[in-house]
Amino acid sequence: MILEMKHIYKNYQQGKMDVPVLKDVNFSMEEGEYVAIMGPSGSGKTTLMNLIGCLDKPTSGSFLLDGMDVSKCSENEMSDMRLHKLGFVFQSFHLLAKQSAIENVMMPLNYAGVPKKKRREIAFAALERVGLAERVDFLPNQLSGGQMQRVAIARAIVNSPKLLLADEPTGALDSKSGQQVMELFQKLNEEGVTVLMITHDSEIAEHAKRIVLIRDGVLREKEVPANE
Ligand code: ADP
Ligand code: MG
């Protein structure tokens, strides 16, 4: 099991009020899975993603990520988990505007202390994997939206994370670029990358092998229609 959440609750403090956002979430993933969490705006998707991404802690419940109990981790341990075990893809790419494609992809390797000579090599291989070997020296504003998202995906996989997390990865893309990003996720999953994608879009969610629904902070598996 790469991740295991049991009876997770998350409340936000609003003045003196405690606002419950996630309610008794039970969710697990095996290595190699490709899962989509789908729900409408405001249902708690990003809140859940922030917990899984070790950016925030649950109010209560237990959460194991690759065998580590995140609820007991220090800030430093959480940042180590983000660096070594997780890859992040966001709706708006989050690329550094003044850095070329390959420099953006090299960034996590700098933090991880990979020797300088090796960084370029590893980053180039990641850009090749997403089909951008010809664009390594382009700046983000010289790339299309779909290409920028592929650079962001190369950056997310460059450290060989245990889990790739994507929050509305196609939300800022036209449908053709969105389709290409979905094809890339499928290819990466076939190559062994474990993928968790969050979306409000049922057509996008259908690309995953398993769909989990979230509504008003409550999670449930989508029924697989019986074949008859
Ligand atoms: P989604 O990503 O599905 O649109 P969010 O997880 O962003 O949903 O938000 C879920 C609910 O939690 C919303 O009602 C939102 O207002 C509330 N919420 C999110 N972040 C905070 C916060 N930092 N403080 C208080 N309430 C929050
Ligand atoms: Mg959100």
Side-chain angles (χ1 to χ4, degrees):
M1 213 81 89
I2 179 72
L3 94 81
E4 190 168 21
M5 292 185 132
K6 282 188 183 157
H7 306 297
I8 291 289
Y9 289 78
K10 178 69 186 177
N11 304 338
Y12 286 115
Q13 209 69 36
Q14 276 283 340
K16 283 185 178 167
M17 292 264 289
D18 229 7
V19 183
V21 173
L22 297 177
K23 301 158 192 165
D24 198 17
V25 167
N26 295 283
F27 174 60
S28 300
M29 276 181 80
E30 306 273 3
E31 228 159 307
E33 273 200 291
Y34 180 2
V35 178
I37 294 180
M38 184 178 76
S41 175
S43 56
K45 301 185 297 297
T46 296
T47 301
L48 180 60
M49 185 67 117
N50 288 344
L51 297 183
I52 296 173
C54 296
L55 292 157
D56 200 0
K57 284 189 181 186
T59 305
S60 65
S62 81
F63 170 32
L64 298 184
L65 182 62
D66 197 29
M68 286 275 281
D69 187 343
V70 179
S71 55
K72 296 204 175 92
C73 282
S74 66
E75 288 288 328
N76 274 338
E77 286 169 329
M78 283 170 79
S79 100
D80 275 354
M81 303 276 268
R82 293 198 296 273
L83 185 56
H84 297 289
K85 300 199 172 184
L86 300 169
F88 292 90
V89 175
F90 305 94
Q91 176 169 348
S92 51
F93 325 132
H94 291 198
L95 297 177
L96 298 173
K98 291 180 178 166
Q99 309 264 319
S100 66
I102 197 159
E103 287 167 339
N104 269 284
V105 176
M106 282 161 66
M107 201 60 70
L109 301 172
N110 306 349
Y111 292 124
V114 175
K116 206 167 181 180
K117 276 193 298 189
K118 276 258 151 209
R119 287 180 212 156
R120 250 196 126 73
E121 217 173 279
I122 300 173
F124 183 78
L127 281 166
E128 260 186 331
R129 253 177 116 181
V130 303
L132 286 177
E134 263 87 74
R135 296 283 185 280
V136 291
D137 293 321
F138 283 50
L139 291 170
N141 69 10
Q142 298 169 320
L143 298 169
S144 70
Q147 288 170 336
M148 283 195 270
Q149 193 59 301
R150 278 148 64 199
V151 172
I153 293 166
R155 181 183 55 189
I157 59 169
V158 77
N159 270 340
S160 307
K162 287 275 180 181
L163 178 63
L164 178 63
L165 292 173
D167 193 355
E168 304 278 4
T170 63
L173 301 178
D174 61 81
S175 63
K176 184 159 170 279
S177 309
Q179 190 62 35
Q180 285 171 351
V181 164
M182 288 301 97
E183 282 165 20
L184 179 55
F185 277 12
Q186 177 151 355
K187 175 183 102 101
L188 293 173
N189 179 244
E190 281 162 11
E191 292 169 1
V193 179
T194 309
V195 183
L196 177 58
M197 172 170 74
I198 293 207
T199 183
H200 69 277
D201 183 332
S202 61
E203 264 180 58
I204 291 297
E206 288 297 334
H207 288 88
K209 289 190 193 145
R210 180 179 140 212
I211 299 177
V212 178
L213 304 173
I214 183 167
R215 184 171 283 270
D216 201 15
V218 177
L219 224 65
R220 68 183 165 86
E221 296 281 331
K222 185 171 187 235
E223 307 285 333
V224 180
N227 267 340
E228 251 183 318

